[in-house]
Amino acid sequence: MASIVVIPTYDEAESVLEALDRVLAATDAHVLVVDDSSPDGTADLVRAHAAFTDRVFLLERPGKAGLGAAYRAGFSWARERGYAVIGQMDADLSHPPEALAGMLAASRGNGGSADLVIGSRYVPGGGTENWPLSRRVISRGGNLYVRVVLRVPVRDATAGFRVWAADALEICHVAQSQSTGYAFQVENTWRAQRAGLAIEEYPITFTERRLGQSKMTATIAREAMVRVLVWRVNEIRQRLRTTARRLLRRR
């Protein structure tokens, strides 16, 4: 089996069908919707889709447990079924499904060269639409913070639109990641870079969601900032301990 795109949902009834239709039209990939018991009937709409059990699949979870937990569950489901390439994207149509064909083609699992392809707003050809200045400042500032603190040379480390070669998920231990919110994206960019994986940023235009409510909160943003700092401090401590042990062995 080749490619599958994992789409986590919670109250995305207004946009999920359009997202599914556009992914199916743009690619030959299958789609897995991971729904956290949406009270608005998102899962029922997925089950009623014409391609359900053919190219569209549904993984239902008992309750809302965070973006990271949904992706970990979806990745595990896809890995168990032998997919070679695993994508991830939001259901709110902020990620353009039409970019998936190019992103999937760039993946090592489909003959490309990248272990991880990131749909990036901040490389030449990428951008955002309908974002207020405050949102642009926060996003660019957050990515600058990640680059400076973690020293990860990726322009859009917070992006949630991605394609993985399936074995790359194992190499950088995504299943063992700890983040539950949007820090999940940063954590796995950092893990991939530290594991020496080939990362490619593919230009996309991110469009502010037209339907439903954003899941971003101040708590989620704080989680990301704090975790980034903790990861870097732990890296430095580990490096110092390793250096100290080497020096002691030389005595």
Side-chain angles (χ1 to χ4, degrees), residues 27-94:
T27 74
D28 293 326
H30 293 178
V31 183
L32 172 66
V33 175
V34 182
D35 187 68
D36 280 3
S37 297
S38 297
D40 71 348
T42 298
D44 292 333
L45 291 173
V46 174
R47 274 190 292 269
H49 193 280
F52 186 62
T53 72
D54 178 18
R55 290 179 62 194
V56 173
F57 303 93
L58 176 66
L59 175 61
E60 294 185 87
R61 295 174 357 113
K64 189 176 182 182
L67 184 72
Y71 271 129
R72 283 187 287 268
F75 292 163
S76 177
W77 187 99
R79 289 279 285 152
E80 288 170 1
R81 286 156 181 80
Y83 287 93
V85 178
I86 302 172
Q88 59 174 91
M89 65 177 289
D90 293 346
D92 62 10
L93 303 172
S94 56

Side-chain angles (χ1 to χ4, degrees), residues 154-165:
V154 172
R155 305 297 299 179
D156 200 352
T158 63
F161 193 21
R162 300 174 177 224
V163 170
W164 295 84

Side-chain angles (χ1 to χ4, degrees), residues 136-147 158 186 225 228:
R136 295 198 299 271
V137 168
I138 290 170
S139 178
R140 284 192 175 273
N143 275 288
L144 177 61
Y145 176 76
V146 170
R147 287 200 303 278
T158 63
V186 178
M225 293 187 67
V228 164

Side-chain angles (χ1 to χ4, degrees), residues 92-132:
D92 62 10
L93 303 172
S94 56
H95 298 149
E98 293 72 23
L100 272 170
M103 293 172 65
L104 290 167
S107 172
R108 177 168 51 78
N110 280 330
S113 59
D115 296 298
L116 168 60
V117 183
I118 297 176
S120 178
R121 297 160 286 190
Y122 303 129
V123 293
T128 61
E129 285 187 358
N130 302 326
W131 263 19

